[in-house]
Amino acid sequence: MPIPSYLRIQAEMLQKLRIPAEGHHIGLGPASTVLTLDVQYQQQWGYVAIDCLNWGSGAHRIFLTRAAVPAGYAPGFFAFREGPLLQQPVEKLMQQQAIRPALLIVDGHGTAHPRSMGLASWLGISLGIPTMGVAKRSLLKETGMPPEKAG
């Protein structure tokens, strides 16, 4: 898919992005399920690991799968490479295991992205599930330690 199509899709998805007001929380309770997701690559394959945690009991299961990588890497459009790799197994878990996650935690950016449409935003909108992005590297141009005072 060409970059202009990616830009159009990101702009359309951005209209659906909802971030709770400050102080609002998801309200994870004893029966809540949280999924953490990551992908590792080997040639044309993406290996997906999903840790399924019950918030109340701490019990968890791990699910693993692999799929062909659907797209090459393009800076700013990582969600189009990794999103489908994560979306399909989450949908499968929801259907086959009767799992309805209260939260997804994704190895990737959410709104800390040049167009606020990083992998976590993309996946959350695609699945209709609250999602938090926890990226390994910042896309922000700031360097060094943040100041102690907020702002």
Side-chain angles (χ1 to χ4, degrees), residues 21-103:
E22 189 174 334
H24 180 77
H25 59 87
I26 294 170
L28 298 173
S32 297
T33 298
V34 176
L35 300 182
T36 59
L37 311 149
D38 196 9
V39 178
Q40 296 296 316
Y41 296 95
Q42 186 175 29
Q43 296 162 356
Q44 79 275 16
W45 295 104
Y47 293 85
V48 178
I50 301 175
D51 184 21
C52 179
L53 171 73
N54 179 286
W55 190 256
S57 70
H60 70 94
R61 297 175 281 172
I62 296 174
F63 299 92
L64 304 170
T65 188
R66 86 172 184 167
V69 177
Y73 174 72
F77 304 100
F78 185 61
F80 294 93
R81 175 182 173 91
E82 195 158 297
L85 291 172
L86 296 173
Q87 182 178 355
Q88 187 177 23
V90 170
E91 289 174 337
K92 189 174 180 180
L93 279 176
M94 289 169 53
Q95 181 183 34
Q96 293 181 353
Q97 302 285 324
I99 292 171
R100 180 64 188 174
L103 176 66

Side-chain angles (χ1 to χ4, degrees), residues 1 4-14 80 117 122:
M1 189 177 296
S5 297
Y6 286 165
L7 284 168
R8 180 183 49 75
I9 293 167
Q10 283 181 330
E12 289 170 3
M13 293 181 90
L14 188 58
F80 294 93
M117 196 47 56
W122 187 97

